[in-house]
Coordinates of all heavy atoms in Angstrom, one line a residue:
M1 N -36.4 -14.7 -73.4 CA -36.1 -13.4 -74.1 C -34.9 -13.6 -75.0 O -33.9 -14.0 -74.5 CB -35.9 -12.4 -73.0 CG -36.0 -11.0 -73.5 SD -35.8 -9.8 -72.1 CE -37.2 -10.2 -71.0
A2 N -35.0 -13.2 -76.2 CA -33.9 -13.2 -77.1 C -32.9 -12.1 -76.6 O -33.3 -11.2 -75.8 CB -34.3 -12.9 -78.5
L3 N -31.7 -12.3 -77.0 CA -30.7 -11.3 -76.7 C -30.5 -10.3 -77.9 O -30.8 -10.6 -79.0 CB -29.4 -11.9 -76.3 CG -29.4 -13.0 -75.2 CD1 -28.0 -13.4 -74.8 CD2 -30.2 -12.5 -74.0
K4 N -29.9 -9.2 -77.6 CA -29.6 -8.2 -78.6 C -28.2 -7.7 -78.4 O -27.7 -7.6 -77.3 CB -30.6 -7.1 -78.7 CG -30.6 -6.2 -77.5 CD -31.6 -5.0 -77.6 CE -31.2 -4.0 -78.7 NZ -32.1 -2.8 -78.6
I5 N -27.6 -7.2 -79.5 CA -26.2 -6.6 -79.4 C -26.4 -5.1 -79.6 O -27.1 -4.6 -80.5 CB -25.4 -7.2 -80.6 CG1 -25.2 -8.7 -80.4 CG2 -24.0 -6.5 -80.6 CD1 -24.5 -9.4 -81.5
T6 N -25.7 -4.4 -78.6 CA -25.8 -2.9 -78.7 C -24.8 -2.3 -79.6 O -23.9 -3.0 -80.0 CB -25.7 -2.3 -77.2 OG1 -24.3 -2.4 -76.9 CG2 -26.5 -3.1 -76.2
D7 N -24.9 -1.0 -79.8 CA -23.9 -0.4 -80.7 C -22.5 -0.2 -80.1 O -21.7 0.4 -80.7 CB -24.5 1.0 -81.1 CG -24.7 1.9 -80.0 OD1 -24.3 1.6 -78.8 OD2 -25.3 3.0 -80.2
Q8 N -22.3 -0.8 -78.9 CA -21.0 -0.9 -78.3 C -20.1 -2.0 -79.0 O -18.9 -2.1 -78.8 CB -21.0 -1.2 -76.8 CG -21.8 -0.2 -76.0 CD -21.2 1.2 -76.0 OE1 -20.1 1.3 -75.7 NE2 -21.9 2.2 -76.5
C9 N -20.8 -2.8 -79.8 CA -20.1 -3.9 -80.5 C -18.9 -3.4 -81.3 O -19.0 -2.4 -82.0 CB -21.1 -4.6 -81.4 SG -20.4 -5.9 -82.5
I10 N -17.8 -4.1 -81.2 CA -16.6 -3.7 -81.9 C -16.3 -4.7 -83.1 O -15.2 -4.7 -83.6 CB -15.4 -3.7 -81.0 CG1 -15.1 -5.0 -80.3 CG2 -15.5 -2.6 -79.9 CD1 -13.8 -5.1 -79.5
N11 N -17.3 -5.5 -83.5 CA -17.2 -6.4 -84.6 C -16.0 -7.3 -84.5 O -15.3 -7.5 -85.5 CB -17.1 -5.6 -85.9 CG -18.4 -4.9 -86.2 OD1 -19.5 -5.5 -86.2 ND2 -18.3 -3.6 -86.6
C12 N -15.8 -7.9 -83.3 CA -14.6 -8.7 -83.1 C -14.8 -10.2 -83.6 O -13.9 -10.9 -83.7 CB -14.2 -8.8 -81.7 SG -15.3 -9.7 -80.6
D13 N -16.1 -10.5 -83.9 CA -16.4 -11.9 -84.5 C -16.2 -13.0 -83.5 O -16.2 -14.2 -83.9 CB -15.5 -12.1 -85.7 CG -16.0 -13.3 -86.5 OD1 -17.2 -13.5 -86.6 OD2 -15.2 -14.1 -87.0
V14 N -16.0 -12.7 -82.2 CA -15.9 -13.8 -81.3 C -17.2 -14.6 -81.0 O -17.2 -15.8 -80.7 CB -15.2 -13.3 -80.0 CG1 -15.3 -14.3 -78.8 CG2 -13.8 -12.9 -80.2
C15 N -18.3 -13.9 -81.0 CA -19.5 -14.5 -80.6 C -20.1 -15.4 -81.7 O -20.8 -16.4 -81.4 CB -20.5 -13.4 -80.2 SG -20.8 -12.2 -81.5
E16 N -20.0 -15.0 -82.9 CA -20.6 -15.7 -84.0 C -20.4 -17.3 -84.0 O -21.3 -18.0 -84.0 CB -20.2 -15.2 -85.4 CG -21.0 -15.9 -86.5 CD -20.5 -15.4 -87.9 OE1 -19.6 -14.5 -88.0 OE2 -21.1 -15.9 -88.9
P17 N -19.1 -17.7 -83.8 CA -18.9 -19.2 -83.9 C -19.4 -19.9 -82.6 O -19.5 -21.1 -82.7 CB -17.4 -19.3 -84.1 CG -16.8 -18.0 -83.6 CD -17.9 -16.9 -83.9
V18 N -19.6 -19.2 -81.5 CA -20.0 -20.0 -80.3 C -21.5 -20.1 -80.2 O -21.9 -20.8 -79.3 CB -19.4 -19.3 -79.0 CG1 -17.9 -19.2 -79.1 CG2 -20.1 -17.9 -78.8
C19 N -22.3 -19.5 -81.0 CA -23.7 -19.6 -80.9 C -24.2 -21.0 -81.4 O -24.0 -21.3 -82.6 CB -24.4 -18.5 -81.7 SG -26.2 -18.7 -81.6
P20 N -24.8 -21.8 -80.6 CA -25.3 -23.1 -81.0 C -26.4 -23.1 -82.0 O -26.7 -24.1 -82.6 CB -25.7 -23.7 -79.7 CG -26.1 -22.6 -78.8 CD -25.2 -21.5 -79.2
N21 N -27.1 -21.9 -82.1 CA -28.3 -21.8 -83.0 C -28.0 -21.0 -84.2 O -28.9 -20.7 -85.0 CB -29.4 -21.1 -82.2 CG -29.9 -22.0 -81.1 OD1 -30.0 -23.2 -81.2 ND2 -30.3 -21.4 -80.0
T22 N -26.7 -20.7 -84.5 CA -26.3 -19.8 -85.6 C -27.2 -18.6 -85.7 O -27.7 -18.3 -86.8 CB -26.2 -20.6 -86.9 OG1 -27.5 -21.2 -87.2 CG2 -25.2 -21.7 -86.9
A23 N -27.5 -18.0 -84.6 CA -28.4 -16.8 -84.5 C -27.6 -15.5 -84.8 O -28.3 -14.5 -85.0 CB -29.1 -16.8 -83.2
I24 N -26.3 -15.6 -84.7 CA -25.5 -14.3 -84.8 C -24.9 -14.2 -86.2 O -24.3 -15.2 -86.7 CB -24.4 -14.3 -83.7 CG1 -25.1 -14.5 -82.3 CG2 -23.6 -13.0 -83.8 CD1 -24.0 -14.7 -81.2
A25 N -24.9 -13.0 -86.7 CA -24.3 -12.8 -88.0 C -23.9 -11.3 -88.1 O -24.5 -10.5 -87.4 CB -25.3 -13.1 -89.2
P26 N -22.9 -11.0 -89.0 CA -22.6 -9.6 -89.2 C -23.7 -8.8 -89.8 O -24.4 -9.3 -90.8 CB -21.4 -9.7 -90.1 CG -20.9 -11.1 -90.1 CD -22.1 -11.9 -89.8
G27 N -24.1 -7.7 -89.2 CA -25.1 -6.8 -89.8 C -24.5 -5.7 -90.6 O -23.3 -5.8 -91.0
R28 N -25.3 -4.7 -91.0 CA -24.8 -3.7 -91.8 C -23.6 -2.9 -91.1 O -22.6 -2.6 -91.7 CB -25.9 -2.7 -92.1 CG -25.5 -1.6 -93.0 CD -26.7 -0.6 -93.2 NE -27.8 -1.2 -93.8 CZ -28.0 -1.2 -95.1 NH1 -27.2 -0.5 -95.9 NH2 -29.1 -1.7 -95.7
E29 N -23.8 -2.7 -89.8 CA -22.7 -1.9 -89.0 C -22.1 -2.7 -87.9 O -20.9 -2.7 -87.7 CB -23.3 -0.6 -88.5 CG -23.8 0.3 -89.6 CD -24.3 1.6 -89.0 OE1 -24.4 1.8 -87.8 OE2 -24.5 2.6 -89.8
I30 N -22.9 -3.5 -87.2 CA -22.5 -4.3 -86.1 C -23.1 -5.7 -86.2 O -24.0 -5.9 -87.0 CB -22.8 -3.7 -84.7 CG1 -24.3 -3.5 -84.6 CG2 -22.1 -2.4 -84.5 CD1 -24.8 -3.1 -83.2
Y31 N -22.6 -6.6 -85.3 CA -23.2 -7.9 -85.4 C -24.6 -7.9 -84.8 O -25.0 -7.1 -84.0 CB -22.3 -8.9 -84.5 CG -21.2 -9.5 -85.3 CD1 -20.1 -8.6 -85.7 CD2 -21.1 -10.8 -85.7 CE1 -19.1 -9.1 -86.5 CE2 -20.1 -11.3 -86.4 CZ -19.1 -10.5 -86.8 OH -18.0 -11.0 -87.6
E32 N -25.4 -8.8 -85.3 CA -26.8 -8.9 -85.0 C -27.2 -10.3 -84.6 O -26.7 -11.3 -85.1 CB -27.7 -8.4 -86.2 CG -27.4 -6.9 -86.5 CD -28.1 -6.5 -87.8 OE1 -28.7 -7.4 -88.5 OE2 -28.1 -5.3 -88.1
I33 N -28.3 -10.3 -83.7 CA -28.8 -11.6 -83.3 C -30.2 -11.7 -83.9 O -31.1 -10.8 -83.7 CB -28.9 -11.7 -81.8 CG1 -27.5 -11.7 -81.2 CG2 -29.7 -12.9 -81.3 CD1 -27.4 -11.7 -79.7
A34 N -30.5 -12.8 -84.5 CA -31.9 -13.1 -85.1 C -32.7 -13.6 -83.9 O -32.5 -14.7 -83.4 CB -31.8 -14.1 -86.2
P35 N -33.7 -12.8 -83.5 CA -34.5 -13.1 -82.3 C -35.2 -14.5 -82.5 O -35.4 -15.2 -81.5 CB -35.6 -12.0 -82.2 CG -35.0 -10.9 -82.9 CD -34.1 -11.5 -84.0
S36 N -35.6 -14.8 -83.7 CA -36.3 -16.1 -84.0 C -35.4 -17.3 -83.7 O -35.9 -18.4 -83.6 CB -36.8 -16.1 -85.4 OG -35.8 -16.0 -86.3
S37 N -34.1 -17.1 -83.7 CA -33.2 -18.2 -83.5 C -32.5 -18.3 -82.2 O -31.8 -19.3 -81.8 CB -32.1 -18.2 -84.6 OG -32.7 -18.4 -85.9
C38 N -32.6 -17.2 -81.4 CA -31.9 -17.2 -80.1 C -32.8 -17.7 -79.0 O -33.9 -17.3 -78.8 CB -31.5 -15.7 -79.7 SG -30.8 -15.6 -78.1
T39 N -32.2 -18.7 -78.3 CA -33.0 -19.3 -77.2 C -32.3 -19.0 -75.8 O -32.6 -19.6 -74.8 CB -33.0 -20.9 -77.3 OG1 -31.6 -21.3 -77.2 CG2 -33.6 -21.3 -78.6
E40 N -31.5 -17.9 -75.8 CA -30.7 -17.6 -74.6 C -29.8 -18.9 -74.3 O -29.4 -19.1 -73.2 CB -31.5 -17.3 -73.4 CG -32.2 -16.0 -73.5 CD -33.0 -15.6 -72.2 OE1 -32.5 -16.0 -71.1 OE2 -34.1 -15.0 -72.3
C41 N -29.5 -19.7 -75.3 CA -28.8 -20.9 -75.2 C -29.5 -22.0 -74.4 O -28.9 -23.1 -74.2 CB -27.4 -20.7 -74.6 SG -26.2 -20.0 -75.8
V42 N -30.8 -21.8 -74.1 CA -31.6 -22.8 -73.5 C -31.6 -24.1 -74.4 O -31.7 -24.0 -75.6 CB -33.0 -22.4 -73.3 CG1 -34.0 -23.5 -72.9 CG2 -33.1 -21.3 -72.1
G43 N -31.3 -25.2 -73.7 CA -31.3 -26.5 -74.4 C -29.9 -26.9 -74.8 O -29.6 -28.1 -75.0
H44 N -29.0 -25.9 -74.9 CA -27.6 -26.2 -75.2 C -26.6 -26.0 -74.1 O -25.8 -26.8 -73.8 CB -27.2 -25.3 -76.4 CG -27.9 -25.6 -77.7 ND1 -27.6 -26.6 -78.5 CD2 -28.9 -24.9 -78.3 CE1 -28.4 -26.6 -79.6 NE2 -29.2 -25.6 -79.5
F45 N -26.7 -24.8 -73.4 CA -25.8 -24.5 -72.4 C -26.6 -23.8 -71.2 O -27.7 -23.3 -71.4 CB -24.8 -23.5 -72.9 CG -23.9 -24.0 -74.0 CD1 -24.2 -23.7 -75.3 CD2 -22.9 -24.9 -73.8 CE1 -23.4 -24.2 -76.4 CE2 -22.1 -25.4 -74.8 CZ -22.4 -25.0 -76.1
D46 N -25.9 -23.8 -70.0 CA -26.5 -23.2 -68.9 C -26.5 -21.7 -68.9 O -27.4 -21.0 -68.3 CB -25.8 -23.6 -67.6 CG -26.1 -25.1 -67.3 OD1 -27.0 -25.7 -67.8 OD2 -25.2 -25.7 -66.6
V47 N -25.6 -21.1 -69.6 CA -25.5 -19.6 -69.7 C -25.3 -19.2 -71.2 O -24.8 -20.0 -72.0 CB -24.3 -19.1 -68.9 CG1 -24.6 -19.3 -67.4 CG2 -23.0 -19.7 -69.3
P48 N -25.8 -18.1 -71.6 CA -25.6 -17.6 -72.9 C -24.1 -17.5 -73.3 O -23.4 -16.8 -72.7 CB -26.3 -16.2 -72.9 CG -27.3 -16.3 -71.8 CD -26.6 -17.1 -70.8
Q49 N -23.8 -18.3 -74.3 CA -22.4 -18.3 -74.7 C -21.9 -17.0 -75.3 O -20.7 -16.7 -75.1 CB -22.2 -19.5 -75.7 CG -22.6 -20.8 -75.2 CD -21.7 -21.2 -74.0 OE1 -20.5 -21.5 -74.2 NE2 -22.2 -21.2 -72.8
C50 N -22.7 -16.3 -76.0 CA -22.2 -15.1 -76.6 C -21.8 -14.0 -75.5 O -20.8 -13.3 -75.6 CB -23.3 -14.5 -77.5 SG -24.9 -14.3 -76.8
I51 N -22.6 -14.0 -74.4 CA -22.3 -13.1 -73.3 C -21.0 -13.5 -72.7 O -20.2 -12.6 -72.3 CB -23.5 -13.1 -72.3 CG1 -24.7 -12.4 -72.9 CG2 -23.0 -12.3 -71.0 CD1 -25.9 -12.3 -71.9
E52 N -20.8 -14.8 -72.6 CA -19.6 -15.3 -71.9 C -18.3 -14.8 -72.7 O -17.3 -14.6 -72.0 CB -19.6 -16.8 -71.9 CG -20.6 -17.4 -70.9 CD -20.1 -17.4 -69.5 OE1 -19.1 -18.1 -69.2 OE2 -20.6 -16.6 -68.7
V53 N -18.4 -14.8 -74.0 CA -17.2 -14.5 -74.7 C -17.0 -13.0 -75.2 O -15.9 -12.6 -75.5 CB -17.1 -15.4 -76.0 CG1 -17.1 -16.9 -75.6 CG2 -18.2 -15.1 -77.0
C54 N -18.1 -12.3 -75.2 CA -18.0 -10.9 -75.7 C -17.1 -10.1 -74.8 O -17.3 -9.9 -73.6 CB -19.4 -10.2 -75.7 SG -19.3 -8.5 -76.3
P55 N -16.0 -9.5 -75.4 CA -15.0 -8.7 -74.6 C -15.5 -7.4 -74.2 O -14.9 -6.8 -73.2 CB -13.8 -8.6 -75.6 CG -14.5 -8.6 -76.9 CD -15.7 -9.6 -76.8
V56 N -16.5 -6.9 -74.7 CA -17.0 -5.5 -74.3 C -18.4 -5.5 -73.7 O -18.9 -4.5 -73.4 CB -17.0 -4.5 -75.5 CG1 -15.5 -4.4 -76.0 CG2 -17.9 -5.0 -76.7
E57 N -18.9 -6.7 -73.4 CA -20.1 -6.9 -72.7 C -21.3 -6.0 -73.3 O -21.9 -5.3 -72.6 CB -19.9 -6.5 -71.2 CG -18.9 -7.4 -70.5 CD -18.7 -7.1 -69.0 OE1 -19.4 -6.2 -68.5 OE2 -17.9 -7.7 -68.4
C58 N -21.4 -6.2 -74.6 CA -22.4 -5.4 -75.3 C -23.6 -6.2 -75.7 O -24.4 -5.8 -76.5 CB -21.8 -4.7 -76.5 SG -21.4 -5.8 -77.8
I59 N -23.8 -7.4 -75.1 CA -24.9 -8.3 -75.4 C -25.9 -8.3 -74.2 O -25.5 -8.6 -73.1 CB -24.5 -9.7 -75.8 CG1 -23.5 -9.6 -76.9 CG2 -25.7 -10.5 -76.2 CD1 -22.9 -11.0 -77.3
I60 N -27.1 -7.9 -74.5 CA -28.1 -7.7 -73.4 C -29.4 -8.4 -73.7 O -29.6 -8.7 -74.9 CB -28.3 -6.2 -73.1 CG1 -28.9 -5.5 -74.4 CG2 -27.0 -5.5 -72.7 CD1 -29.4 -4.1 -74.2
L61 N -30.2 -8.5 -72.7 CA -31.6 -9.0 -73.0 C -32.4 -8.0 -73.8 O -32.2 -6.8 -73.6 CB -32.3 -9.3 -71.6 CG -31.8 -10.5 -70.8 CD1 -32.4 -10.5 -69.5 CD2 -32.1 -11.8 -71.6
D62 N -33.1 -8.5 -74.7 CA -33.9 -7.6 -75.6 C -35.4 -7.6 -75.1 O -36.1 -8.5 -75.3 CB -33.9 -8.2 -77.0 CG -34.6 -7.3 -78.0 OD1 -35.2 -6.3 -77.6 OD2 -34.6 -7.6 -79.2
P63 N -35.7 -6.4 -74.5 CA -37.1 -6.3 -73.9 C -38.2 -6.4 -75.0 O -39.3 -6.5 -74.7 CB -37.0 -5.0 -73.2 CG -35.9 -4.2 -73.8 CD -34.9 -5.2 -74.2
Q64 N -37.7 -6.2 -76.3 CA -38.7 -6.3 -77.4 C -39.2 -7.7 -77.6 O -40.1 -8.0 -78.3 CB -38.1 -5.7 -78.7 CG -37.7 -4.3 -78.6 CD -38.9 -3.4 -78.5 OE1 -39.8 -3.6 -79.2 NE2 -38.8 -2.3 -77.7
H65 N -38.4 -8.7 -77.1 CA -38.7 -10.1 -77.3 C -38.8 -10.9 -76.0 O -38.0 -11.8 -75.8 CB -37.7 -10.7 -78.2 CG -37.7 -10.1 -79.6 ND1 -36.9 -9.1 -80.0 CD2 -38.4 -10.4 -80.7 CE1 -37.1 -8.8 -81.3 NE2 -38.1 -9.6 -81.7
P66 N -39.8 -10.6 -75.2 CA -39.9 -11.3 -73.9 C -40.4 -12.7 -74.2 O -41.3 -13.0 -75.0 CB -41.0 -10.5 -73.2 CG -41.8 -9.8 -74.3 CD -40.8 -9.5 -75.3
E67 N -39.8 -13.7 -73.5 CA -40.1 -15.1 -73.6 C -39.9 -15.8 -72.2 O -39.0 -15.5 -71.5 CB -39.3 -15.8 -74.7 CG -39.6 -15.3 -76.1 CD -38.5 -15.7 -77.1 OE1 -37.3 -15.3 -76.9 OE2 -38.8 -16.5 -78.0
T68 N -40.8 -16.7 -71.9 CA -40.7 -17.4 -70.7 C -39.7 -18.6 -70.9 O -39.4 -18.9 -72.1 CB -42.0 -18.1 -70.3 OG1 -42.4 -19.0 -71.3 CG2 -43.1 -17.0 -70.1
P69 N -39.2 -19.2 -69.9 CA -38.3 -20.3 -70.0 C -38.9 -21.5 -70.8 O -38.3 -22.1 -71.6 CB -38.0 -20.8 -68.6 CG -38.1 -19.5 -67.8 CD -39.2 -18.7 -68.5
E70 N -40.2 -21.6 -70.6 CA -41.0 -22.6 -71.4 C -41.0 -22.3 -72.9 O -40.9 -23.2 -73.7 CB -42.4 -22.8 -70.9 CG -42.5 -23.3 -69.5 CD -42.1 -22.3 -68.4 OE1 -42.1 -21.1 -68.6 OE2 -41.7 -22.8 -67.3
E71 N -41.2 -21.1 -73.2 CA -41.2 -20.7 -74.6 C -39.8 -20.8 -75.2 O -39.7 -21.2 -76.4 CB -41.7 -19.2 -74.7 CG -43.2 -19.0 -74.5 CD -43.6 -17.6 -74.4 OE1 -42.8 -16.7 -73.9 OE2 -44.7 -17.3 -74.8
L72 N -38.8 -20.5 -74.5 CA -37.4 -20.7 -75.0 C -37.1 -22.2 -75.2 O -36.5 -22.6 -76.2 CB -36.4 -20.2 -74.0 CG -36.4 -18.6 -73.9 CD1 -35.5 -18.2 -72.7 CD2 -35.9 -18.0 -75.2
Q73 N -37.6 -23.1 -74.3 CA -37.4 -24.5 -74.5 C -38.2 -25.0 -75.7 O -37.7 -25.8 -76.5 CB -38.0 -25.2 -73.2 CG -37.7 -26.7 -73.2 CD -36.2 -27.0 -73.0 OE1 -35.5 -26.4 -72.2 NE2 -35.7 -28.0 -73.8
A74 N -39.4 -24.5 -75.9 CA -40.2 -24.8 -77.1 C -39.5 -24.3 -78.4 O -39.5 -25.0 -79.4 CB -41.6 -24.2 -77.0
K75 N -38.9 -23.2 -78.3 CA -38.1 -22.7 -79.5 C -37.0 -23.6 -79.8 O -36.7 -23.9 -81.0 CB -37.7 -21.2 -79.3 CG -37.1 -20.6 -80.5 CD -36.3 -19.3 -80.1 CE -37.2 -18.2 -79.8 NZ -36.4 -16.9 -79.7
Y76 N -36.3 -24.0 -78.7 CA -35.1 -24.9 -78.9 C -35.6 -26.2 -79.6 O -35.0 -26.7 -80.5 CB -34.5 -25.2 -77.5 CG -33.6 -26.4 -77.5 CD1 -32.4 -26.4 -78.1 CD2 -34.1 -27.6 -77.0 CE1 -31.6 -27.5 -78.1 CE2 -33.3 -28.8 -77.0 CZ -32.1 -28.7 -77.5 OH -31.3 -29.8 -77.5
A77 N -36.7 -26.7 -79.1 CA -37.3 -27.9 -79.7 C -37.6 -27.8 -81.2 O -37.3 -28.6 -82.0 CB -38.5 -28.4 -78.9
A78 N -38.2 -26.6 -81.5 CA -38.6 -26.4 -82.9 C -37.4 -26.2 -83.8 O -37.3 -26.7 -84.9 CB -39.4 -25.1 -82.9
L79 N -36.3 -25.5 -83.2 CA -35.1 -25.3 -84.0 C -34.3 -26.6 -84.3 O -33.7 -26.7 -85.3 CB -34.2 -24.3 -83.3 CG -34.7 -22.8 -83.3 CD1 -33.9 -22.0 -82.3 CD2 -34.6 -22.2 -84.7
T80 N -34.4 -27.5 -83.3 CA -33.5 -28.7 -83.4 C -34.3 -29.9 -83.8 O -33.7 -30.9 -84.0 CB -32.9 -29.0 -82.0 OG1 -33.9 -29.1 -81.0 CG2 -31.9 -27.8 -81.6
G81 N -35.6 -29.8 -83.9 CA -36.4 -30.9 -84.3 C -36.5 -32.0 -83.2 O -36.8 -33.1 -83.4
T82 N -36.3 -31.6 -81.9 CA -36.4 -32.5 -80.8 C -37.7 -32.2 -80.0 O -38.3 -31.2 -80.2 CB -35.2 -32.3 -79.8 OG1 -35.2 -31.0 -79.4 CG2 -33.9 -32.7 -80.5
E83 N -38.0 -33.2 -79.2 CA -39.2 -33.0 -78.4 C -39.0 -32.0 -77.3 O -37.9 -31.9 -76.7 CB -39.6 -34.4 -77.7 CG -40.2 -35.4 -78.7 CD -41.5 -34.9 -79.4 OE1 -42.3 -34.4 -78.6 OE2 -41.6 -35.0 -80.6
S84 N -40.0 -31.2 -77.0 CA -39.9 -30.2 -75.9 C -39.9 -31.0 -74.6 O -40.7 -31.9 -74.4 CB -41.0 -29.2 -76.0 OG -40.9 -28.3 -74.9
A85 N -39.1 -30.5 -73.6 CA -39.1 -31.2 -72.3 C -40.3 -30.9 -71.5 O -40.9 -29.9 -71.6 CB -37.8 -30.7 -71.5
Ligands
LIG1 FE1 -26.8 -17.6 -79.7 FE2 -27.0 -18.3 -77.2 FE3 -26.2 -15.9 -77.7 FE4 -28.7 -16.6 -78.2 S1 -27.7 -16.5 -76.2 S2 -27.4 -15.5 -79.6 S3 -28.5 -18.7 -78.8 S4 -25.1 -17.8 -78.2
LIG2 FE1 -19.7 -7.6 -81.1 FE2 -19.3 -8.7 -78.7 FE3 -19.9 -10.2 -80.8 FE4 -17.5 -9.1 -80.6 S1 -18.4 -10.7 -79.2 S2 -18.8 -9.2 -82.5 S3 -18.1 -7.1 -79.6 S4 -21.3 -8.6 -79.9

């Protein structure tokens, strides 16, 4: 499941540089996560790095983008050009 940033975001810019998939960028009003690029950090880290660093805990699972662990692994493989495990 991709993650999403809620309107609690204070635009602190801490999450953008820690995303291994460059899925995070400033949006019109708050930071946004591109669902097509977010793997929940699968393939890179054990836990979502953006959630780890966000000071206001405004990054949540996005029920609009349900994905299994296998699908996240496949997305990681597609994004990085590596073989899926
Ligand atoms: Fe990027 Fe990982 Fe956060 Fe997804 S969970 S937006 S891949 S840092
Ligand atoms: Fe917004 Fe949290 Fe990212 Fe800061 S770390 S820009 S508050 S989502």
Side-chain angles (χ1 to χ4, degrees):
M1 198 176 299
L3 303 189
K4 67 178 289 189
I5 296 171
T6 74
D7 60 10
Q8 302 294 305
C9 173
I10 58 172
N11 291 314
C12 73
D13 190 42
V14 168
C15 57
E16 182 183 4
V18 302
C19 178
N21 295 323
T22 59
I24 305 174
R28 184 185 295 268
E29 295 183 352
I30 58 173
Y31 276 68
E32 297 175 351
I33 294 173
S36 60
S37 296
C38 175
T39 63
E40 292 183 35
C41 283
V42 165
H44 294 283
F45 300 100
D46 290 339
V47 293
Q49 297 298 288
C50 54
I51 291 179
E52 288 283 289
V53 301
C54 179
V56 295
E57 300 181 3
C58 69
I59 306 176
I60 61 174
L61 288 169
D62 184 357
Q64 298 290 321
H65 294 93
E67 290 164 297
T68 65
E70 292 75 21
E71 288 172 327
L72 291 170
Q73 187 70 43
K75 188 195 285 188
Y76 163 76
L79 287 169
T80 59
T82 56
E83 290 297 317
S84 183

